[in-house]
Amino acid sequence: MKYQPVIGLEVHVQLLTDTKIFCGCSTKFGAEPNSQTCPVCLGLPGALPVLNKKVVEFAIKAGLSTNCSITPRSIFARKNYFYPDLPKGYQISQFEDPICQRGWLDIKVEGEEPKRIGITRIHMEEDAGKLVHGESSLNDGSGVDLNRACTPLLEVVSEPDLRSSDEAVVYLKQLHQIVTWLGICDGNMEEGSFRCDANVSVMPVGSDTLGTRAEIKNVNSFKFVKQAIEYEIQRQIDLVEDGGTVVQETRLFDPNSGKTRSMRSKEEAHDYRYFPDPDLVPLVISDEWVERSRRELPELPEQRQQRFIDELGLTPYDAEVLTASRALADYFEAGVAAHGNAKAVGNWIMGEITRALNDSGTSVEACPITPGQLAELLKLIDNGTISGKIAKTVFDEMWKSGKTPQSIVEEQGLVQVSDSSAIESIIDEIMAANAGQVEEYRGGKEKVFGFFVGQVMKASKGKANPSVVNELLLSKLKG
Ligand code: ADP
Ligand code: MG
Ligand code: ZN
């Protein structure tokens, strides 16, 4: 590799407030076009914005969770540009003195050393409306839906510290996990609640001067981010190799072709004529407010992983899987509280529960089996009532019917048979019916042992205690 890719991400995080950032209109997704609007978000002359305090609280939480400093006095600015989905002719954003500055995230790409990625800033802004083409119920041409106008966003801007598409995806996933964990964003990338602009450039290996970047707009899945960055790196390398130069521009990624294409030449900050919005006073955030927010922060994914390792004895890998979301970590901890054995509970969650959730497209929050019920099931294995194998059958029935494991075991007569006389009589029958195999075994062909275990388990409908079966079979076959 002669070239070093450099990547910086700008991520838009749509905040989970009930109302918009500068008015009281609802932010609910999917309503009739323009039904959630008022003079403020329609941009009518003379209407005045009033800042939603919840947005500030969410921004502070995001900042503290990404190691940023909270700016004591931050400013809203007008970013001026014309577009039909922007009725005011400017977007209220932050430019100088954004609410959060100079943070970082430590990322870990598999097989590599951990690496610190700088976060330049996090600022608050309003979203624009949406143009609806063709499919609009309003007309056959194009319509403007301003329901989304004035929806609160955070923009999280990273330093150009990322060096590969893998690093970019890990960083993005980590940021996604934090904002969903905090409950400030639903994280839905398809609906655009979490979307990313990727800035990509290349420079000769060993150089300390960054190359000219292209910005790929609004990429809305982790997979597309990886594809778009990789395509763009190769495009720029080819261009430079052919003696061309990369121009600073905004590009679009087309998921169908896997390519990026030019959308417009890059606008510069001065094109926007930023200036402080005279309708909004500076936002003053006291130290007390910041400290209160800090105290109210939940235990974050990384801290929770560490605690699972230190206190519950999980491996780092298991701890990471079980903290994939806050709901999953909560489920796991409730299961451990009800059962006691973190390893056993963890294995069932990473195995059966995860499989069943995936197969049925269910979220952990909606899991039909409670952590308490899972613990009851495991206790039935612990005390020998059922075998681990039968437990999987009971699990499937719990999932479908919502019944308790005890009642399923009783109703279906699944109690494990450990009584040796009952198992012995089954073994005797099977040995009598398979005299040939008995001879083979006694003649030294030990492989047929497995055949006998299978037959006995089958005859007992899976209920025979496997260790008792093994023990008795061995002594009987040996004669
Ligand atoms: P703009 O809004 O004009 O895109 P920002 O400063 O908000 O500017 O964002 C710039 C983004 O581009 C940041 O994430 C930054 O890390 C990244 N970036 C800056 N220079 C380069 C470069 N040469 N190569 C790759 N990324 C870059
Ligand atoms: Mg940008
Ligand atoms: Zn409104």
Side-chain angles (χ1 to χ4, degrees):
M1 268 286 257
K2 280 162 61 191
Y3 294 92
Q4 173 62 63
V6 174
I7 302 142
L9 298 182
E10 296 162 80
V11 180
H12 284 96
V13 178
Q14 188 176 315
L15 296 178
L16 271 178
T17 54
D18 295 331
T19 55
K20 297 183 178 181
I21 181 170
F22 298 122
C23 64
C25 292
S26 169
T27 52
K28 218 169 155 62
F29 185 81
E32 248 327 89
N34 299 308
S35 61
Q36 294 169 174
T37 53
C38 73
V40 174
C41 53
L42 289 173
L44 300 188
L48 290 172
V50 177
L51 179 59
N52 182 343
K53 187 173 180 184
K54 199 98 206 169
V55 173
V56 181
E57 283 170 3
F58 284 3
I60 295 175
K61 280 189 183 176
L64 294 177
S65 305
T66 51
N67 309 293
C68 289
S69 311
I70 307 301
T71 310
R73 188 173 185 278
S74 75
I75 307 285
F76 286 97
R78 290 186 181 180
K79 181 179 183 181
N80 299 283
Y81 67 96
F82 172 80
Y83 204 67
D85 64 8
L86 189 73
K88 292 195 297 289
Y90 60 85
Q91 176 193 24
I92 306 179
S93 181
Q94 296 195 289
F95 184 55
E96 285 162 344
D97 306 322
I99 184 163
C100 310
Q101 303 182 60
R102 296 177 308 275
W104 77 82
L105 280 184
D106 287 332
I107 64 161
K108 171 108 185 54
V109 173
E110 209 173 311
E112 290 176 23
E113 287 302 303
K115 180 173 170 184
R116 181 158 292 184
I117 305 301
I119 291 176
T120 318
R121 53 189 278 146
I122 302 178
H123 66 251
M124 301 174 282
E125 62 184 24
E126 58 179 345
D127 207 344
K130 209 168 84 181
L131 295 186
V132 189
H133 303 290
E135 74 231 55
S136 166
S137 58
L138 300 175
N139 54 38
D140 301 330
S142 293
V144 187
D145 178 6
L146 292 171
N147 283 349
R148 201 182 61 185
C150 225
T151 295
L153 302 176
L154 294 182
E155 181 172 336
V156 183
V157 182
S158 88
E159 289 288 306
D161 287 345
L162 300 155
R163 292 289 176 270
S164 68
S165 61
D166 285 337
E167 287 187 5
V169 170
V170 170
Y171 165 85
L172 200 60
K173 284 190 173 164
Q174 217 158 305
L175 189 60
H176 184 267
Q177 184 188 31
I178 288 174
V179 295
T180 52
W181 191 282
L182 290 171
I184 65 175
C185 173
D186 68 19
N188 188 328
M189 294 180 80
E190 263 167 54
E191 285 176 8
S193 306
F194 186 92
R195 54 189 194 261
C196 158
D197 301 343
N199 296 270
V200 179
S201 67
V202 296
M203 61 184 179
V205 167
S207 162
D208 49 15
T209 316
L210 299 185
T212 304
R213 69 186 155 119
E215 178 182 24
I216 312 160
K217 273 280 175 207
N218 283 334
V219 195
N220 69 350
S221 83
F222 295 121
K223 191 174 121 202
F224 293 161
V225 168
K226 187 170 162 65
Q227 285 178 0
I229 291 174
E230 282 170 8
Y231 176 84
E232 187 56 25
I233 291 170
Q234 197 53 51
R235 184 189 71 86
Q236 294 185 11
I237 291 176
D238 292 347
L239 191 64
V240 176
E241 290 277 275
D242 284 352
T245 45
V246 176
V247 293
Q248 186 163 334
E249 62 180 352
T250 302
R251 300 179 68 87
L252 273 185
F253 175 68
D254 174 8
N256 293 318
S257 65
K259 296 179 177 176
T260 64
R261 63 183 158 79
S262 181
M263 183 164 93
R264 56 170 187 254
S265 70
K266 174 72 191 167
E267 58 294 310
E268 303 278 347
H270 62 251
D271 294 325
Y272 289 119
R273 298 288 189 271
Y274 279 103
F275 66 91
D277 191 313
D279 290 340
L280 288 157
V281 294
L283 172 62
V284 176
I285 299 171
S286 66
D287 291 347
E288 291 77 54
W289 190 356
V290 175
E291 285 321 308
R292 194 179 344 118
S293 298
R294 203 188 296 277
R295 283 196 302 275
E296 285 169 7
L297 281 185
E299 187 184 28
L300 291 168
E302 236 173 276
Q303 301 161 334
R304 207 154 182 193
Q305 276 170 30
Q306 200 53 51
R307 185 164 59 78
F308 284 180
I309 294 168
D310 297 341
E311 291 178 11
L312 301 177
L314 295 190
T315 63
Y317 176 80
D318 289 359
E320 193 181 327
V321 175
L322 290 167
T323 51
S325 74
R326 192 170 166 183
L328 187 67
D330 287 345
Y331 188 101
F332 167 67
E333 281 211 86
V336 175
H339 180 263
N341 183 337
K343 185 80 194 142
V345 173
N347 282 343
W348 271 77
I349 292 176
M350 292 186 290
E352 296 306 300
I353 294 268
T354 303
R355 177 189 54 77
L357 290 173
N358 287 345
D359 287 353
S360 61
T362 312
S363 66
V364 193
E365 287 91 335
C367 182
I369 297 177
T370 66
Q373 288 169 334
L374 177 65
E376 291 308 312
L377 176 65
L378 300 195
K379 284 181 199 165
L380 293 179
I381 307 175
D382 297 342
N383 65 23
T385 307
I386 56 174
S387 66
K389 188 148 183 284
I390 290 287
K392 307 231 157 124
T393 313
V394 177
F395 178 90
D396 288 338
E397 188 58 33
M398 288 167 73
W399 186 276
K400 273 186 268 170
S401 67
K403 289 182 186 165
T404 65
Q406 290 88 346
S407 65
I408 293 168
V409 168
E410 273 166 39
E411 276 168 28
Q412 306 196 4
L414 296 173
V415 175
Q416 174 165 261
V417 179
S418 301
D419 167 24
S420 26
S421 63
I423 295 177
E424 250 175 287
S425 68
I426 298 178
I427 292 179
D428 290 341
E429 277 172 36
I430 301 234
M431 282 174 64
N434 298 281
Q437 278 89 341
V438 175
E439 281 317 304
E440 281 180 28
Y441 181 82
R442 290 182 176 156
K445 202 174 162 198
E446 301 210 341
K447 269 203 316 211
V448 270
F449 188 76
F451 162 78
F452 282 106
V453 174
Q455 292 295 308
V456 175
M457 293 309 290
K458 194 171 159 200
S460 75
K461 300 199 172 64
K463 290 186 291 186
N465 181 325
S467 62
V468 178
V469 170
N470 270 294
E471 200 180 304
L472 289 176
L473 251 182
L474 204 58
S475 76
K476 282 195 176 273
L477 280 172
K478 289 247 152 86

